[in-house]
Amino acid sequence: MRNPQRSDRGTMAAESPFLLSLVEEFVSGLQDSKAKDTATAVKDGQFTVLQLVEALGQSLTSSQPHTRARGVQLLSEVLQDNYGALTEREVELLLAFYENRLKDHYVITPPVLRGLLALTKSRKLPPGSAVSMLRSVFQDVHVQSLMLAERACVYNMLINLMESREDELKGLGADFVFGFVQSMDGERDPRNLLLAFQIARNILLRGYNMGKFTEELFEVTSCYFPIDFSPPPNDPHGITKEELTQALRAVLTGTPKFAKFLLPLIIEKLDSDVQSAKLDSLQTLAASVGQYEHGDLAEFLEGLWSSLRREVFQTSSEKIEAAGLAAVAALTSCLSRSVLNSDSEDSLSSFLGLVLRDCKHHLFEPDLKLVWPSAKLLQAACSASYRAAHSITSAVVPPLVEQYNSRTQCSHRRTLLEVAQRFIQSTASCQSVDHDESLFSAYKDSLCSLVFSALSESNSSLQITAASVLTSLAQQPGLLLDSDIELAVDHLTRLLLTDEDERVSVAVVECAGAFAERHPAAFITKLIPTLKKEMLSDRRESSELHSHHAVRQRCLSALAAVSVRASVVMESAPILLDVLGSAHADPDRFSVDEVVCACLSLQRIAERVQDGEDTSRCFHDVIVPRLLSLALQAALQNDGSSGRRSPLVEEEVLSSMVPVISTAFSRLQTFAEQTASRAVSLFLDGDVSFLPDNSFPPRVQLLQQQQEDSSWCQTQLVCLLMACVCSLPRSVALSQEERLLSELEELSCSCRHPFSYTSAAKCFAGLVNKKPQGPSLDRLIQGVIKRVSSELDRPSSPLRTQAFTLLIWVAKALLLRYHPLFSALTDKLFTLLDDALLGPMAADSFSLLMSDSADVLNRGCHADVRIMYRQRFFSENSAKLVQGFNAAPQEKKANYLKALSNIVNKLPKQVQVSELPALLSLLLEALTCPDEGVQLSTLSCLQPVLINPPQVLVLQLEALVSRLLALIGSPAMKIRMASIRCVLALSRFPAHEVLPFRSRVLRALAPPLNDRKRLVRREAVQARAEWFLLGSPGGR
Amino acid sequence: MSEGVILENANPMIFQRSGDRMVTASEEDEDVHDPIDDREIFLVRSINDPEHPLTLEELNVVELDRQVNDTESTARVEFTPTIPHCSMATLIGLSIKVKLLRSLPDRFKIDVHITPGAHASEEANKQLADKERVAAALENSSLLEVVNQCLS
């Protein structure tokens, strides 16, 4: 039949031979690629759609359905790329053609639908055409007998038209919904279901008239509930069960009109044995009631409640319990929201009646299982609204108090108290501004007396619970009167001073902190003076020295906890400073531990106090100068080296002062710049004028090394200088910075006292990290490199450790800010791995490079820290390390392995996993390295990777298992424990991979069950239990 | 737990869980030998009850009052079913026994039995004392499955 076609063609003069050949090759030649060519040609304007239709004339009227289909297909595909350029008239004609073709042979339907889909995207769609198009589709096409792609076509048409022609579609009335219901009825493909759910959601949300088809629409969607779908492996479409669940839930919960169908369905599905079905039902319930009125719920309340109660009472999964409680809260809040008419019954109170009927009596059986589920259900309802909370608390709290008073067993009382506390807490969300009266004001007196009597008991867990009840009461706005607060503070003070139990004092301190935030006055007048008296009292002679130490520790932590408000800090901080002062004046009075504790409390205050002018002034004008002054006094006094030395020269104490000062500089910035420049002139010029108790000699030279033995007392103060100048924001410029840097460099390279030269190096590095980019910085760094290298290159030099310390800290400062000169320093570091003396130290220093330092060069003190500097360091240097390892002589290899495991240890998990393949052989090698430090650090970097093992590890399983099992016999307990922990992680590998090792591992784990160390036995028991479960019925 | 199942004891007494053992300085010291003690055998506390999502400790089925002798290598564990007619007694005993077999060095002789007077029948004691019957029970894969679930 080709020939007649050809002979006819001559009559159509307007057509180009190019178009004809395209049509010919597509329709008869079945070359699909020609469709694209044609579409491009139309787009380029070589010919119009009209010309194409004319050229297709023959094929479209052919007697062969397949030829007609091919013709329509070409037209549709061209339209898909060119719908935008069509005129309204053209669209109208094409529509008429396509609608007509729907009645044609079934093979033509797919391309027709594709063409119609293209036309629905056209902006020129003439009025009324949407309706006629849909009518013909619904009438002439049976959607579910189409193929997947064509069904998607229909859904997409609906979605497009709903976007552009909403009014017209609404004009179709319920017919539209009916047509849609018929189209999607029986859909099975998840991709299409997502589209169909979207349409259904639109129908509900945009107010389409469902008429008498509400139930049909519900039926046709709810039949998929709950979604049970597991995507095939390697699914290219990436549709998840979660996605489908969410889409379906959006439909089912979209309208209150579904309530009478959905709620019975949920009650039915809650009976299911499948956990995920229960969970889905509960979540759907919670989501649905958001729009419901009480009328929608009324008749199902009883059924819903009994299902929910059962789920919470008998659940075996916390997830289901939580979802059940959330559903109870949602139901209650829906019922509380509804406006009552005069004739309807109060469904909130009838629902709460049900809840109380089934739960209340369980509250009074404090040793039985159902206490907590019942309490949780009641509290969930409580948290929903003020009204609900009001009626539940009034029903529950008085008998709870009565029960408490009638019980004598402490464990019962504790449970009751804990229940009461949860009630107070659960109402926190619904105490709104409209109700100025707290829900608990009616029971305040009885609750307070309950709490105070519990605090007076001797049972510690009762006291702890009482303290947390007190905290919750304090957080209820306007509940407690001044007299209650005073009484509470008295109790807290008494417990702080007398109670020995550590857990009690932690709870009391926490409670005092919460109280002081709301009621600072009572603490200033009562607690703080008492603590001051207690702490500064001298009890050296008394026999209770040990317990007095504990009291002091508690007082110190309490002082820190209550100091949140500025007004309290003004009172509490001077006491802590007095403690330091009297420790200095009389070294026997406070132990070093206590002094460190006082500094810790100051640090906590600096971290938590509200930033403001008052607090900033307090820190910069009082606390910091006082600390510097005390430290300086101690350092100068010690020069005489007579008698006991002041605790304030101890490294431990100075190190604990550092965070106090650095937090003050980084958080409270108002006067920071001024104090910093004073500190600099103190250290450079010996300017002591800003220090209190000024009785210092006129010229102290803190950064200069003197010949005397005791000069370390002065040089080590450089750590305080570091705290002052390295925590300022980068925008603050420092006076005399150049001079300071050069003195610090000198001190760090020449001083013999480790703490002094390390602190000087850290201070230097902290400043280098913040110094602006430019030639002066480059010059500075090059100077350091030169000096350090010349020192390191002389093996006999006594100052190599100092040079190395400066090198590593400057390297860290530059690594953090991505400075280009960093690589010069790393190269130096790598060569040191081969050094006879410094090699092990260089290997350890990699962990310093990769970890956050606590007192300097961290984000807290405003250092310039780029994101992912660790990854960057690793990717730039791992190859060098591997090369160095291969080239190194046998006895030096351990240093490389240690360096490597130090680096890998600190990398984020994702990077570890992705880099592991390249390094695995080296790490496995490290496990056989005799150095215990290398073994331990390798084990600790392997363990997290084993929890989510990459494929490459699975391939090396044999080597890994035998090395780990060999380490189980190590003489060091830490290595035994770490290797057993890794063996435990192996049990979670894919079962088929590790099953072959089961009996071998079980045998290897038997000896550690008899290990001499309990901690090793504990790991072994756990690991062995898991390996027994592997591959055993009921196990894994 | 599905709707159809009716629990033998739906609202049992609950007891407090004891916290984890604190690690002492001597336990971290390489040179000290820590003997196996009562508290260590108390790892049976974490076994799940076959009926409730609770542990044997919370139901007070086992208590920290056993006799362990490290030098003589013996361990005795008594357990108390929540109700005297508890049909799960044998299963609980078997779970305890298996847990100890897996967790103690094989030099130990393990004796698991019901607290005298706590159960209507003492038949379970005989079964638990009989090595061969225990071994046979563990050959039964459906029984092993239930035991493993209690232990996981």
Side-chain angles (χ1 to χ4, degrees):
Chain A
M1 71 176 276
R2 277 184 177 186
N3 286 341
Q5 270 187 350
R6 272 205 188 124
S7 64
D8 285 351
R9 205 175 290 151
T11 58
M12 300 179 192
E15 289 163 21
S16 71
F18 175 51
L19 172 58
L20 287 174
S21 73
L22 283 173
V23 170
E24 169 72 25
E25 280 160 12
F26 184 85
V27 176
S28 320
L30 299 178
Q31 295 182 32
D32 288 343
S33 63
K34 293 299 165 192
K36 260 278 141 317
D37 299 346
T38 318
T40 320
V42 171
K43 198 181 265 175
D44 296 344
Q46 292 184 36
F47 36 80
T48 62
V49 174
L50 192 67
Q51 283 169 323
L52 173 66
V53 174
E54 280 170 2
L56 278 168
Q58 277 296 325
S59 356
L60 294 181
T61 52
S62 158
S63 60
Q64 291 296 318
H66 286 280
T67 312
R68 295 203 298 277
R70 220 38 208 167
V72 177
Q73 190 184 345
L74 179 59
L75 180 60
S76 297
E77 289 190 25
V78 169
L79 287 181
Q80 256 161 41
D81 287 351
N82 293 288
Y83 59 85
L86 296 175
T87 64
E88 187 173 326
R89 177 71 192 144
E90 282 170 332
V91 173
E92 198 174 346
L93 283 174
L94 285 166
L95 271 177
F97 165 73
Y98 276 124
E99 281 173 25
N100 186 264
R101 285 303 92 197
L102 280 175
K103 301 189 194 327
D104 200 342
H105 193 272
Y106 71 91
V107 297
I108 301 169
T109 311
V112 168
L113 288 173
R114 256 183 294 253
L116 283 172
L117 174 61
L119 291 177
T120 59
K121 293 184 217 158
S122 163
R123 293 221 192 111
K124 300 280 171 50
L125 213 55
S129 55
V131 171
S132 78
M133 195 187 320
L134 286 183
R135 274 196 202 285
S136 359
V137 170
F138 290 151
Q139 196 175 345
D140 298 324
V141 183
H142 182 243
V143 177
Q144 286 307 317
S145 52
L146 297 172
M147 300 296 281
L148 176 95
E150 282 73 50
R151 301 201 302 271
C153 243
V154 175
Y155 299 131
N156 279 316
M157 278 169 65
L158 292 178
I159 290 174
N160 290 340
L161 291 174
M162 286 176 106
E163 288 305 324
S164 58
R165 303 286 145 159
E166 186 172 321
D167 293 339
E168 280 182 45
L169 297 195
K170 282 186 176 163
L172 266 173
D175 288 354
F176 176 68
V177 177
F178 181 64
F180 167 67
V181 167
Q182 279 203 317
S183 317
M184 84 160 284
D185 192 359
E187 179 62 60
R188 297 181 57 87
D189 187 84
R191 285 161 284 177
N192 283 344
L193 277 176
L194 281 178
L195 297 174
F197 291 155
Q198 188 189 342
I199 298 169
R201 174 82 179 150
N202 287 346
I203 290 177
L204 300 176
L205 272 195
R206 299 183 186 170
Y208 284 79
N209 176 16
M210 292 189 281
K212 51 186 192 292
F213 300 114
T214 311
E215 184 165 5
E216 276 75 7
L217 183 61
F218 179 78
E219 288 298 333
V220 84
T221 47
S222 66
C223 63
Y224 301 98
F225 180 81
I227 296 277
D228 180 19
F229 169 64
S230 39
N234 308 324
D235 179 21
H237 310 294
I239 292 177
T240 60
K241 179 177 181 180
E242 185 55 28
E243 222 172 325
L244 284 164
T245 308
Q246 293 294 348
L248 176 58
R249 187 174 300 158
V251 175
L252 297 182
T253 62
T255 171
K257 289 185 186 135
F258 281 171
K260 61 174 182 281
F261 314 117
L262 178 63
L263 295 174
L265 180 69
I266 285 180
I267 294 176
E268 180 195 321
K269 296 293 176 192
L270 277 175
D271 281 347
S272 157
D273 271 338
V274 184
Q275 299 282 308
S276 67
K278 283 189 184 196
L279 195 61
D280 194 2
S281 306
L282 290 169
Q283 287 167 342
T284 304
L285 174 61
S288 67
V289 295
Q291 300 195 18
Y292 291 177
E293 297 276 325
H294 65 96
D296 303 322
L297 283 169
E299 59 176 306
F300 305 104
L301 279 179
E302 191 127 15
L304 282 172
W305 165 245
S306 71
S307 297
L308 288 169
R309 183 194 58 200
R310 186 190 66 227
E311 289 317 312
V312 176
F313 275 7
Q314 289 183 17
T315 189
S316 51
S317 130
E318 278 176 27
K319 258 192 193 158
I320 290 184
E321 187 191 74
L325 294 173
V328 170
L331 267 179
T332 317
S333 100
C334 165
L335 294 171
S336 324
R337 208 173 43 232
S338 307
V339 182
L340 295 179
N341 344 341
S342 50
D343 52 343
S344 70
E345 66 164 334
D346 179 358
S347 39
L348 174 65
S349 71
S350 55
F351 179 67
L352 294 181
L354 291 174
V355 179
L356 284 167
R357 181 196 69 196
D358 291 336
C359 294
K360 189 176 154 190
H361 62 277
H362 288 304
L363 292 184
F364 310 130
E365 303 157 340
D367 49 359
L368 298 190
K369 180 191 168 194
L370 292 180
V371 178
W372 284 113
S374 304
K376 284 177 185 164
L377 281 166
L378 285 167
Q379 282 147 11
C382 247
S383 67
S385 74
Y386 186 85
R387 256 175 74 204
H390 190 271
S391 52
I392 289 183
T393 46
S394 62
V396 166
V397 176
L400 211 53
V401 173
E402 193 182 310
Q403 278 287 321
Y404 179 90
N405 290 327
S406 66
R407 298 274 172 167
T408 49
Q409 264 193 42
C410 280
S411 64
H412 292 173
R413 288 181 148 197
R414 196 185 63 113
T415 307
L416 290 167
L417 211 52
E418 227 169 293
V419 170
Q421 193 249 338
R422 303 279 180 89
F423 271 109
I424 301 171
Q425 238 171 16
S426 67
T427 60
S429 56
C430 56
Q431 299 266 21
S432 67
V433 271
D434 342 334
H435 313 281
D436 6 291
E437 187 152 316
S438 166
L439 279 165
F440 290 91
S441 46
Y443 325 110
K444 184 212 67 174
D445 287 333
S446 50
L447 283 172
C448 277
S449 68
L450 204 81
V451 167
F452 294 145
S453 89
L455 284 176
S456 319
E457 299 271 350
S458 58
N459 180 296
S460 60
S461 59
L462 201 55
Q463 290 171 322
I464 293 169
T465 315
S468 68
V469 181
L470 196 55
T471 309
S472 312
L473 286 174
Q475 280 158 350
Q476 298 264 322
L479 179 64
L480 297 183
L481 301 177
D482 286 347
S483 55
D484 304 319
I485 294 164
E486 280 187 20
L487 207 54
V489 174
D490 285 345
H491 275 283
L492 294 176
T493 316
R494 179 180 55 78
L495 286 173
L496 271 179
L497 297 183
T498 58
D499 203 284
E500 299 284 320
D501 191 312
E502 199 172 324
R503 292 175 309 139
V504 175
S505 65
V506 169
V508 167
V509 167
E510 202 172 303
C511 175
F515 248 85
E517 209 171 334
R518 288 180 182 273
H519 311 287
F523 284 81
I524 295 173
T525 54
K526 303 197 73 151
L527 179 91
I528 290 182
T530 320
L531 294 190
K532 178 177 182 178
K533 201 169 127 222
E534 182 64 29
M535 222 156 8
L536 295 175
S537 71
D538 200 346
R539 294 241 185 113
R540 253 171 298 174
E541 279 75 45
S542 83
S543 53
E544 328 144 22
L545 195 65
H546 173 74
S547 74
H548 189 57
H549 173 71
V551 172
R552 277 177 172 169
Q553 300 249 350
R554 291 202 293 270
C555 292
L556 288 170
S557 58
L559 275 180
V562 299
S563 307
V564 183
R565 298 288 193 98
S567 57
V568 186
V569 174
M570 303 292 179
E571 302 296 324
S572 61
I575 301 178
L576 293 168
L577 291 172
D578 286 347
V579 169
L580 297 181
S582 64
H584 167 64
D586 179 358
D588 293 331
R589 195 145 169 206
F590 289 91
S591 69
V592 170
D593 273 359
E594 286 166 345
V595 179
V596 169
C597 247
C599 292
L600 212 62
S601 293
L602 278 173
Q603 181 193 346
R604 279 199 60 203
I605 296 177
E607 280 163 356
R608 290 178 60 226
V609 72
Q610 295 152 340
D611 188 11
E613 203 178 307
D614 290 351
T615 45
S616 189
R617 189 186 294 284
C618 175
F619 267 89
H620 289 291
D621 282 359
V622 182
I623 299 177
V624 172
R626 183 86 187 274
L627 286 175
L628 289 172
S629 156
L630 286 169
L632 186 57
Q633 280 174 27
L636 293 173
Q637 187 190 49
N638 201 51
D639 280 359
S641 66
S642 60
R644 271 201 74 177
R645 68 187 194 201
S646 159
L648 299 190
V649 298
E650 300 296 335
E651 184 177 324
E652 218 184 329
V653 173
L654 286 174
S655 306
S656 66
M657 279 185 190
V658 169
V660 181
I661 300 179
S662 74
T663 314
F665 277 87
S666 60
R667 270 200 74 212
L668 312 166
Q669 290 166 8
T670 319
F671 302 97
E673 193 176 345
Q674 185 192 351
T675 326
S677 71
R678 286 172 175 171
V680 170
S681 60
L682 167 67
F683 278 83
L684 285 180
D685 308 319
D687 175 7
V688 293
S689 58
F690 78 108
L691 299 181
D693 312 325
N694 199 336
S695 55
F696 301 106
R699 291 204 61 80
V700 281
Q701 292 194 310
L702 294 172
L703 295 180
Q704 308 290 321
Q705 276 244 84
Q706 268 120 40
Q707 292 312 310
E708 307 145 47
D709 284 347
S710 57
S711 76
W712 60 267
C713 287
Q714 288 174 38
T715 51
Q716 69 176 354
L717 293 183
V718 70
C719 70
L720 301 181
L721 174 67
M722 173 190 82
C724 293
V725 296
C726 292
S727 309
L728 292 167
R730 265 172 279 163
S731 53
V732 177
L734 209 57
S735 57
Q736 309 191 65
E737 195 181 15
E738 296 301 320
R739 210 182 124 204
L740 188 62
L741 282 167
S742 84
E743 294 214 7
L744 284 170
E745 185 186 324
E746 184 58 38
L747 183 65
S748 71
C749 287
S750 61
C751 181
R752 307 275 169 148
H753 180 236
F755 184 50
S756 302
Y757 68 70
T758 311
S759 299
K762 281 159 108 176
C763 187
F764 185 84
L767 293 173
V768 165
N769 176 266
K770 288 181 189 171
K771 209 170 152 56
Q773 201 86 279
S776 103
L777 177 65
D778 293 349
R779 235 178 297 122
L780 180 73
I781 298 169
Q782 255 132 15
V784 172
I785 296 179
K786 212 168 132 211
R787 177 158 189 182
V788 164
S789 311
S790 75
E791 207 67 67
L792 289 172
D793 293 343
R794 280 192 297 133
S796 61
S797 162
L799 295 169
R800 289 184 87 212
T801 318
Q802 281 82 332
F804 174 74
T805 309
L806 183 62
L807 168 75
I808 191 77
W809 280 102
V810 174
K812 186 171 170 68
L814 298 184
L815 164 67
L816 295 181
R817 64 182 279 183
Y818 287 2
H819 195 280
L821 284 173
F822 170 67
S823 56
L825 294 161
T826 14
D827 292 345
K828 192 79 211 152
L829 206 53
F830 279 114
T831 58
L832 285 175
L833 284 174
D834 285 330
D835 189 284
L837 288 168
L838 294 176
M841 216 200 250
D844 286 335
S845 71
F846 281 90
S847 117
L848 193 152
L849 273 187
M850 298 296 279
S851 51
D852 286 325
S853 141
D855 46 6
V856 71
L857 291 177
N858 56 45
R859 288 202 172 85
C861 45
H862 306 288
D864 187 356
V865 182
R866 302 294 177 84
I867 50 166
M868 304 204 286
Y869 70 91
R870 295 185 180 88
Q871 285 92 311
R872 195 181 140 114
F873 178 74
F874 175 79
S875 58
E876 283 176 2
N877 295 299
S878 62
K880 283 187 213 163
L881 210 53
V882 175
Q883 268 172 16
F885 171 80
N886 292 328
Q890 195 57 42
E891 69 277 12
K892 300 282 164 50
K893 281 192 192 292
N895 289 342
Y896 285 90
L897 291 173
K898 198 188 267 184
L900 179 73
S901 59
N902 275 332
I903 298 173
V904 176
N905 232 331
K906 295 290 179 335
L907 287 177
K909 174 86 200 311
Q910 302 88 323
V911 187
Q912 280 184 344
V913 171
S914 66
E915 297 298 335
L916 201 76
L919 298 175
L920 191 62
S921 57
L922 218 55
L923 289 175
L924 288 176
E925 179 94 9
L927 286 181
T928 57
C929 170
D931 184 308
E932 288 184 351
V934 175
Q935 290 174 357
L936 195 59
S937 116
T938 311
L939 286 172
S940 69
C941 79
L942 264 178
Q943 200 216 343
V945 181
L946 293 180
I947 289 167
N948 211 340
Q951 189 56 33
V952 52
L953 255 180
V954 176
L955 296 175
Q956 300 260 28
L957 215 48
E958 171 64 38
L960 185 62
V961 171
S962 48
R963 290 189 165 113
L964 287 175
L965 294 185
L967 287 177
I968 288 180
S970 161
M973 68 181 278
K974 280 200 172 140
I975 294 176
R976 296 202 294 275
M977 287 164 70
S979 55
I980 295 174
R981 238 175 262 146
C982 287
V983 173
L984 170 66
L986 286 182
S987 73
R988 312 260 156 77
F989 273 42
H992 63 280
E993 301 282 1
V994 283
L995 209 49
F997 298 99
R998 184 174 185 260
S999 58
R1000 196 170 138 202
V1001 171
L1002 287 177
R1003 243 177 297 126
L1005 284 174
L1009 291 180
N1010 204 13
D1011 198 279
R1012 54 206 298 270
K1013 297 308 298 174
R1014 185 169 295 132
L1015 294 175
V1016 179
R1017 294 199 293 266
R1018 193 162 73 184
E1019 301 290 344
V1021 165
Q1022 212 183 347
R1024 203 158 186 261
E1026 286 301 315
W1027 276 90
F1028 260 112
L1029 292 177
L1030 183 72
S1032 178
R1036 200 177 71 83
Chain B
M1 231 150 282
S2 65
E3 173 64 334
V5 184
I6 293 165
L7 300 178
E8 276 188 14
N9 185 4
N11 192 9
M13 293 249 262
I14 306 288
F15 293 79
Q16 209 185 342
R17 262 189 277 180
S18 51
D20 281 336
R21 183 175 195 148
M22 300 289 244
V23 177
T24 62
S26 75
E27 280 176 353
E28 284 175 343
D29 184 349
E30 294 261 9
D31 303 324
V32 181
H33 177 103
D34 315 321
I36 295 180
D37 64 6
D38 284 353
R39 186 69 203 271
E40 219 169 320
I41 308 298
F42 199 39
L43 53 89
V44 296
R45 72 199 175 103
S46 63
I47 297 175
N48 300 317
D49 183 81
E51 264 189 349
H52 295 281
L54 293 166
T55 63
L56 296 188
E57 182 184 20
E58 286 169 309
L59 294 170
N60 213 31
V61 174
V62 289
E63 282 176 271
L64 179 58
D65 178 29
R66 266 147 309 270
Q67 291 142 8
V68 177
N69 191 324
D70 194 17
T71 46
E72 288 172 21
S73 300
T74 56
R76 268 170 65 90
V77 174
E78 284 184 352
F79 67 99
T80 317
T82 51
I83 44 174
H85 291 279
C86 183
S87 59
M88 301 284 175
T90 320
L91 180 60
I92 293 173
L94 189 62
S95 301
I96 295 176
K97 180 122 189 176
V98 171
K99 178 85 184 171
L100 291 174
L101 283 171
R102 289 177 183 180
S103 311
L104 285 176
D106 50 12
R107 62 186 163 92
F108 270 80
K109 183 181 182 322
I110 297 161
D111 174 17
V112 175
H113 59 261
I114 300 176
T115 312
H119 199 264
S121 141
E122 308 265 307
E123 172 61 22
N125 284 341
K126 280 186 202 153
Q127 294 183 17
L128 290 170
D130 186 339
K131 257 188 199 168
E132 279 170 23
R133 286 172 82 173
V134 170
L138 295 179
E139 294 290 311
N140 176 340
S141 77
S142 58
L143 197 52
L144 183 59
E145 182 176 345
V146 187
V147 170
N148 275 334
Q149 273 161 0
C150 291
L151 297 184
S152 60

